[in-house]
Amino acid sequence: MDQLKKAFASKLLKIKAIKLQPNNPFTWASGWKSPFYCDNRKALSYPELRNYVKIEIVHAILERFPDVEAIAGVATGAIPQGALVADALHLPFVYVRSKPKDHGLENLIEGELKPAMKVVVIEDLISTGGSSLKAVEAIRKNGCEVIGMVASYTYGFPVAEQAFADAKVTLVTLTDYEHVVQEALETGYIDACDVEVLHQWRKDPAHWQQTE
């Protein structure tokens, strides 16, 4: 798995899916300021890489969650990859909205899950884990069992790791913060001084402040 994480990190860097802006930090949906942004959804625009991600997620599911009966994608980032994975596995697919529609059937889960189905959730990226675990909660309330989650990338924040542990959700990722930063440094994508900025941010991302 470590070799996969290194290889996928390299592929993300080659398509410039990793952004580093210590002097002009990004603002996340959580409100956190970050010098680092991973936009692995760019992989969808590259057919070979899109297929690579699909195949590796399928491999992860077959290895770790062989009893899977349905695939669920977390809206919006994981909908396309989740659908590709479900198609490859010949399994039902649904996606979970961040909130119910405000019209029509007011669905939170789009698609059909039968009671007691064993579901694997697909996510594109894990930061705090909040939106991902809301999807898990919605599936469980629908009477199904979430047997695991597979994500393309995780920042590996302690708050997220604790949240997944509390929710009793097994998380598997194709790559992570450590492998991306290591690969970025080895290939000259970032400098050693950038690594220190990233590590300082990651220690306490909720309170990190950029330095002049």
Side-chain angles (χ1 to χ4, degrees), residues 2-206:
D2 283 349
Q3 191 58 39
L4 166 62
K5 289 182 177 180
K6 178 179 174 63
F8 187 39
S10 176
K11 292 177 186 296
L12 288 176
L13 289 165
K14 285 179 180 176
I15 64 168
K16 299 187 176 355
I18 306 299
K19 303 293 184 183
L20 178 65
Q21 295 181 186
N23 297 318
N24 184 26
F26 303 94
T27 301
W28 288 358
S30 61
W32 290 1
K33 296 291 184 180
S34 171
F36 183 98
Y37 192 81
C38 178
D39 183 15
N40 59 55
R41 285 172 289 189
K42 283 187 72 173
L44 294 167
S45 298
Y46 296 82
E48 288 187 8
L49 184 52
R50 183 177 66 222
N51 192 53
Y52 173 88
V53 174
K54 177 191 71 175
I55 290 171
E56 293 302 340
I57 292 176
V58 166
H59 286 168
I61 292 171
L62 293 176
E63 179 181 345
R64 299 293 300 275
F65 313 112
D67 296 336
V68 62
E69 296 173 326
I71 301 295
V74 180
T76 57
I79 292 175
Q81 205 66 62
L84 289 168
V85 168
D87 189 60
L89 290 169
H90 305 288
L91 291 174
F93 175 72
V94 302
Y95 69 86
V96 187
R97 295 175 174 273
S98 58
K99 58 183 179 180
K101 283 196 302 186
D102 58 5
H103 61 280
L105 298 176
E106 300 181 351
N107 291 335
L108 182 58
I109 297 176
E110 296 290 2
E112 183 178 4
L113 290 175
K114 296 178 181 178
M117 267 187 162
K118 295 180 180 179
V119 181
V120 170
V121 178
I122 306 300
E123 182 61 287
D124 70 314
L125 179 145
I126 307 293
S127 53
T128 64
S131 59
S132 306
L133 292 174
K134 282 182 180 178
V136 170
E137 182 182 5
I139 292 167
R140 286 172 171 170
K141 284 184 176 179
N142 201 61
C144 295
E145 178 186 357
V146 175
I147 60 174
M149 183 181 297
V150 182
S152 292
Y153 175 85
T154 180
Y155 287 101
F157 295 132
V159 63
E161 293 178 351
Q162 187 61 52
F164 274 86
D166 291 345
K168 294 181 172 56
V169 176
T170 300
L171 174 64
V172 177
T173 63
L174 300 190
T175 194
D176 53 30
Y177 169 88
E178 286 87 358
H179 286 83
V180 165
V181 171
Q182 180 182 349
E183 189 69 14
L185 182 60
E186 289 179 0
T187 58
Y189 194 90
I190 58 176
D191 298 323
C193 59
D194 295 323
V195 175
E196 181 57 30
V197 171
L198 291 171
H199 286 348
Q200 288 300 321
W201 160 74
R202 190 167 179 262
K203 285 179 183 177
D204 189 9

